Amino acid sequence: MTEAFIYDHVRTPRGKGKADGSLHEVTAIELGTQPLRALKERNNLDVTLVEDVIYGCVDPVGEAGADIARTCALKAGYGKTVPGVQINRFCASGLDAVNLAAAQVMSGQKEMAIGGGVESMSRVGMGASGFGIAMDPSVAIDTYFMPQGVAADLIATRYGFSRDDVDAFAVQSHKRAARAWEKGYFRNSIIPVKDVNGLTILDRDETIRPNTDMQALGALKASFAMMGEQGGFDAVAIQSHPEVEAVNHVHHAGNSSGIVDGAAAVLVGSKAAGRKAGLKPRARIRAFATVGSDLGLMLTGPVDVTRLVLKKAKMKQSDIDLFELNEAFSSVVLRFQQAFDIDPEILNVNGGAIAMGHPLGATGAMILGTVLDELERTNKQTALVTLCVAVGMGVATIIERV
């Protein structure tokens, strides 16, 4: 089987996903175009070598609709011969896009491809494309459908995480992200978003609050209590896990991932393609995996998929130097850490989505790049990247520096 290598990656900064966010004036197409353009320009890339562009986009409607990957590739100047495809596996779409690019290379069907994603959450609202499972009772009842926030609270209740626990993790995320920016850890991978005149609109993640503390978070009300108690979803949670007597609602906007705009792209290819392009590989993709997981807990897929991807790679947990898990909610990361007894000093070492936000279709590609940069900075070798996924799924990838 052909090996797949990562040659480069870039991402935009993440802008607040509201009308007053810095990236609100940037269309979804332009947002997704800029990482592709940057990959081409900073690598002097012969775009005729790129055989596919795969972009995650969770709400591909309106300006983000009609195969945004192909549209962005055309606008970025990749030419008519470079195809594109949009995919959606909810929050893991960006990582799945990279995995699919790697799979094409590994199978020998393509030599070079780009995986990544884009989400303009300030312009195309979350859920704009609909959510069939929530609307069809014949499916929702059998699958214990409930909002992700209630599921996150169920995880906290089921595994014993208090309000202080989830708030403390959120404080840590902001402090780590602020420190990473202060020390320039993201500098080589962030491409400033520019307007039509070439002027910079945003050059750093917009939602980090370095002064966040337990007192500030403690003043926030639980976001999903009314939904759970009055909306009936607590009853669904207890039905799915009857060992839980009552759901303890601990999550709120401060310890959950932020709604933001952003895009990312990862250049993947074979060794032969890299030689043709005059590029040096930065990492090898060792293995990737996808699983379905507990429908009631919903967001514990990273635990299951990590076990599977380690098995596929013929590796042990001790072989992994760094872990990167999307911070959808604090309890998701705390459960992952608990399940594997992971040293917090090797997990999300530069903060995550609680501080910097979660542009749904792009996040997976973003955090893959973040952990690769950290491997290089600290001269470490291997990393495991994973995300929880709505409706009970998980995706994971193991990379190794070369």
Side-chain angles (χ1 to χ4, degrees), residues 65-90:
D67 191 357
I68 193 170
R70 169 68 165 166
T71 307
C72 291
L74 289 169
K75 189 170 185 185
Y78 279 55
K80 64 182 181 181
T81 64
V82 180
V85 62
Q86 172 268 326
I87 67 166
N88 180 8
R89 200 191 299 274
F90 301 119

Side-chain angles (χ1 to χ4, degrees), residues 229-276:
E229 295 164 5
Q230 298 180 24
F233 289 110
D234 279 3
V236 178
I238 294 167
Q239 185 179 29
S240 70
H241 281 270
E243 71 276 15
V244 173
E245 294 183 1
V247 177
N248 182 23
H249 291 283
V250 296
H251 287 93
H252 49 75
N255 56 35
S256 307
S257 55
I259 295 173
V260 293
D261 304 333
V266 180
L267 181 63
V268 178
S270 65
K271 187 172 289 186
R275 282 197 296 266
K276 288 179 187 175

Side-chain angles (χ1 to χ4, degrees), residues 375-399:
L375 285 177
E376 292 173 338
R377 188 186 73 81
T378 57
N379 197 30
K380 294 179 178 177
Q381 286 300 117
T382 59
L384 189 152
V385 183
T386 183
L387 299 93
C388 61
V389 186
V391 201
M393 293 183 282
V395 177
T397 305
I398 295 174
I399 64 171

Side-chain angles (χ1 to χ4, degrees), residues 41-358:
E41 292 175 353
R42 74 190 222 154
N43 293 290
N44 193 26
L45 181 63
D46 177 359
V47 294
T48 64
L49 298 175
V50 178
E51 297 181 79
D52 209 354
V53 174
I54 307 168
Y55 256 12
C57 184
V58 175
D59 282 298
V61 295
E63 67 182 48
D67 191 357
I68 193 170
R70 169 68 165 166
T71 307
C72 291
L74 289 169
K75 189 170 185 185
Y78 279 55
K80 64 182 181 181
T81 64
V82 180
V85 62
Q86 172 268 326
I87 67 166
N88 180 8
R89 200 191 299 274
F90 301 119
C91 299
S93 299
L95 186 60
D96 242 348
V98 178
N99 291 344
L100 286 171
Q104 291 181 343
V105 171
M106 289 170 158
S107 68
Q109 299 304 302
K110 293 181 179 174
E111 291 290 327
M112 182 171 280
I114 293 172
V118 58
E119 210 78 43
S120 179
M121 300 180 77
S122 70
R123 297 176 64 91
V124 182
M126 184 164 56
S129 59
F131 199 17
I133 191 171
M135 303 304 293
D136 188 336
S138 69
V139 185
I141 292 170
D142 292 340
T143 56
Y144 302 110
F145 171 78
M146 54 188 164
Q148 287 190 28
V150 177
D153 288 338
L154 177 61
I155 292 170
T157 306
R158 173 69 177 77
Y159 294 104
F161 305 126
S162 68
R163 172 67 182 260
D164 281 352
D165 292 333
V166 293
D167 281 356
F169 182 82
V171 170
Q172 173 184 278
S173 180
H174 282 280
K175 292 191 180 305
R176 286 182 170 184
R179 180 195 64 196
W181 267 107
E182 180 185 347
K183 294 185 175 295
Y185 296 166
F186 302 140
R187 185 183 303 117
N188 293 333
S189 302
I190 297 285
I191 54 160
V193 177
K194 298 184 177 182
D195 64 14
V196 293
N197 298 311
L199 300 176
T200 295
I201 299 172
L202 185 67
D203 61 3
R204 65 182 290 127
D205 296 314
E206 192 170 27
T207 61
I208 301 171
R209 300 185 301 277
N211 297 322
T212 296
D213 57 26
M214 294 292 286
Q215 289 71 32
L217 294 184
L220 298 176
K221 292 183 178 180
S223 297
F224 308 103
M226 183 177 295
M227 196 178 293
E229 295 164 5
Q230 298 180 24
F233 289 110
D234 279 3
V236 178
I238 294 167
Q239 185 179 29
S240 70
H241 281 270
E243 71 276 15
V244 173
E245 294 183 1
V247 177
N248 182 23
H249 291 283
V250 296
H251 287 93
H252 49 75
N255 56 35
S256 307
S257 55
I259 295 173
V260 293
D261 304 333
V266 180
L267 181 63
V268 178
S270 65
K271 187 172 289 186
R275 282 197 296 266
K276 288 179 187 175
L279 300 175
K280 181 180 178 181
R282 295 173 61 181
R284 175 189 297 107
I285 296 178
R286 283 283 302 264
F288 47 84
T290 308
V291 299
S293 61
D294 189 293
L295 287 164
L297 292 170
M298 192 191 303
L299 307 175
T300 54
V303 174
D304 301 318
V305 78
T306 291
R307 292 183 177 127
L308 178 59
V309 78
L310 286 170
K311 182 179 179 180
K312 284 181 176 291
K314 296 181 173 59
M315 298 174 73
K316 304 185 296 294
Q317 180 182 328
S318 58
D319 295 326
I320 304 298
D321 295 316
L322 294 173
F323 290 87
E324 194 74 22
L325 168 61
N326 184 39
E327 295 175 359
F329 300 89
S330 287
S331 65
V332 172
V333 189
L334 292 174
R335 171 54 191 154
F336 185 78
Q337 183 179 338
Q338 180 190 66
F340 296 104
D341 192 23
I342 297 173
D343 181 350
E345 294 305 311
I346 63 170
L347 174 63
N348 292 12
V349 297
N350 291 321
I354 289 174
M356 293 177 281
H358 175 22

